[in-house]
Amino acid sequence: MLSLFFVALVSATLLPGGSEVWLARLWCLGEPPLGLWAVATAGNTLGSMINVAMGRYARQFQDRRWFPASPRSLARAERWYHRFGELSLLVSWAPIIGDPLTVLAGVFRLPWWRALAWIVVAKGTRYAVVLLLAQQWLLPLCQ
């Protein structure tokens, strides 16, 4: 299960990963679902909190020429973030948009504990759904 933790952690950073497939594989091998859920949720949440930390740290360099976001795009992101707020972290589980949302939470200084709470709900729900889908559709294939 340690491998699941690391796959889930890497999947939550800006690096690509396939934690859902790994979770389903370990479930098929007979690992306890509650343990799988807890490990995947913890790893993926930690990865997202690393993104939050990167966002907090990166903001101090926004005036540098090499900063990846222009002042205009940063202002647009800020308007968007203030419109949807911290609730947007409920979509932090989603591919492509989830990782940048967690970085934005750091850039715009969402308190750590609130970011953590929203991210745990989002990631935990995703892995619960994956396990439910595995129970429904993968059971015949696992034997």
Side-chain angles (χ1 to χ4, degrees):
M1 266 202 255
L2 186 59
S3 62
L4 175 61
F5 178 84
F6 287 111
V7 170
L9 187 148
V10 168
S11 295
T13 64
L14 298 175
L15 302 171
S19 61
E20 297 86 2
V21 173
W22 200 255
L23 176 71
R25 177 187 176 277
L26 291 175
W27 178 83
C28 271
L29 292 173
E31 294 288 342
L34 185 58
L36 291 171
W37 174 83
V39 167
T41 300
N44 211 243
T45 298
L46 178 59
S48 289
M49 292 306 289
I50 290 170
N51 289 346
V52 172
M54 288 181 358
R56 282 179 169 253
Y57 179 73
R59 184 73 187 246
Q60 69 183 333
F61 299 110
Q62 70 185 19
D63 296 328
R64 306 275 171 88
R65 194 172 64 168
W66 51 264
F67 191 73
S70 69
R72 183 176 178 210
S73 64
L74 196 56
R76 183 175 55 228
E78 190 165 13
R79 283 192 306 276
W80 184 89
Y81 185 77
H82 287 300
R83 180 176 176 196
F84 296 103
E86 61 195 67
L87 285 176
S88 66
L89 289 177
L90 288 175
V91 191
S92 64
W93 62 268
I96 300 170
I97 64 169
D99 297 338
L101 287 174
T102 58
V103 173
L104 283 177
V107 167
F108 299 123
R109 302 264 181 211
L110 182 64
W112 290 104
W113 68 272
R114 290 197 349 227
L116 179 64
W118 291 115
I119 290 168
V120 166
V121 168
K123 306 298 184 147
T125 301
R126 176 195 38 203
Y127 288 118
V129 168
V130 169
L131 287 168
L132 288 172
L133 292 174
Q135 179 71 34
Q136 291 290 319
W137 293 340
L138 292 181
L139 193 57
L141 301 173
C142 293
Q143 300 169 0

